[in-house]
Amino acid sequence: MSIRPGDDIDPANSDASACKFVESIIVPKSRDLGDFEVRRALPAIERRMIGPFVFLDQMGPAEFDAGKGVDVRPHPHINLATVTYLYAGEMYHRDTLGSSQAIKPGDLNWMSAGRGIAHSERTAPEVRADKHPLFGLQAWVALPESAEESDPTFDHYPKAALPTLDGEGKDVRVIAGSLFGKTSPAKVKSALFYVDARLDAGASLPLDPEYEERGLYIAEGEIEIAGDRFEAGRLLVFKPGDRITIRAVSPARFMLLGGESVGPRHMWWNFVSSRKERIEQAKEDWKAGAFGTVPGDDKEFIPLPER
């Protein structure tokens, strides 16, 4: 996805909680993009990052009429990895490396921008021909300083390649990083976890304190932690050092995310970096066309914002 300067941090919008394990609760504001809504959970005033995660958007749920769909024109990124994961629907990715890949529910698209890449995200014509849904999350992961200027890469991991654990009312998929004794094949640059969890009503899932920075975004349903209940559309940021048990009050789906801190990051538009001057250079590079064009989607692009 592409964002506008000034939209990267929402005004404070949080719920109070008595839960001793929860440091803060972020309630993302909805943005109407015409045919669907986006809820931005990160960055927020309450929390800019959780581990290396600097950005988290919920896309939908939406139902597009025939002929309509997502059209995110080519736009640039540096020094981060984009992580696209869908619950419903389909999107099509293209980038300046020549990558051309549909993503479907349960798959993972992991694009590491490194020193610079541009990409587009569209609804393919064959999907657009009929009524179709869209629901999912997109995250940005800040690369550690040692990898910020690495070569850009794109990797697609089908649903079947991602490790799972299930039983006792749980259906859990380790999308990236390591958790619950499982490790995703995704090529990450720092210690992190990104995990899709679905629980039946009454089922529970533990979260150990193996990572200092941990969060949970509730996409559907209602959960309970230590007697406190939390509804969908909430990002919970946990205090470090506690073993937590998450119980589903109703059928629930949520994303667990976090990992080791990579240090503070500067963020402007679609650029993330440990150095302000690097972002200034990226602005000039995009204006000059130095990122290149996206094969198969080279007729238009998102101009650099004026502010």
Side-chain angles (χ1 to χ4, degrees), residues 12-258:
N13 187 22
S14 59
D15 282 345
S17 173
C19 183
K20 64 180 181 179
F21 301 124
V22 176
E23 179 181 291
S24 58
I25 307 169
I26 298 168
V27 185
K29 291 199 310 183
S30 295
R31 288 177 170 81
D32 188 349
L33 300 185
D35 294 310
F36 72 109
E37 285 188 340
V38 168
R39 293 181 176 183
R40 179 148 306 141
L42 283 178
I45 285 178
E46 300 91 340
R47 188 83 178 207
R48 288 190 62 95
M49 301 175 67
I50 301 176
F53 289 86
V54 293
F55 176 95
L56 183 66
D57 259 7
Q58 175 183 322
M59 305 174 289
E63 188 79 23
F64 289 96
D65 292 329
K68 296 187 176 181
V70 174
D71 281 302
V72 181
R73 294 169 290 160
H75 58 278
H77 292 290
I78 62 164
N79 297 178
L80 61 87
T82 65
V83 188
T84 305
Y85 188 81
L86 297 181
Y87 299 139
E90 182 177 320
M91 290 176 64
Y92 205 91
H93 166 98
R94 288 185 174 90
D95 62 42
T96 46
L97 298 175
S99 311
S100 180
Q101 178 67 55
I103 181 169
K104 299 180 180 181
D107 296 347
L108 167 64
N109 274 5
W110 184 282
M111 184 184 77
S112 183
R115 65 176 182 269
I117 197 169
H119 74 136
S120 65
E121 296 153 298
R122 308 271 195 178
T123 299
E126 61 272 19
V127 177
R128 196 184 297 259
D130 296 313
K131 196 171 185 176
H132 57 281
L134 182 70
F135 185 24
L137 298 177
Q138 187 171 85
W140 295 355
V141 174
L143 299 178
E145 288 188 46
S146 61
E148 283 188 321
E149 299 301 321
S150 57
D151 292 339
T153 61
F154 174 82
D155 293 289
H156 174 78
Y157 302 91
K159 179 179 179 179
L162 303 177
T164 60
L165 59 152
D166 52 29
E168 300 180 325
K170 297 186 289 287
D171 182 5
V172 179
R173 176 168 288 106
V174 180
I175 302 166
S178 300
L179 200 68
F180 303 124
K182 306 280 187 177
T183 298
S184 164
K187 300 169 188 175
V188 301
K189 303 290 188 181
S190 62
L192 60 84
F193 64 96
Y194 197 53
V195 173
D196 173 24
R198 286 188 290 183
L199 300 184
D200 294 340
S204 62
L205 183 68
L207 180 61
D208 289 333
E210 57 187 289
Y211 297 94
E212 184 174 7
E213 299 193 13
R214 300 169 296 165
L216 181 158
Y217 183 78
I218 309 166
E220 295 178 305
E222 185 179 15
I223 64 169
E224 179 184 84
I225 300 172
D228 271 16
R229 294 188 175 191
F230 305 94
E231 61 184 349
R234 303 291 185 270
L235 173 61
L236 311 182
V237 182
F238 297 119
K239 297 174 183 176
D242 296 311
R243 190 176 196 268
I244 297 161
T245 298
I246 305 151
R247 187 182 74 85
V249 176
S250 63
R253 190 167 197 172
F254 50 88
M255 189 69 77
L256 296 166
L257 68 153

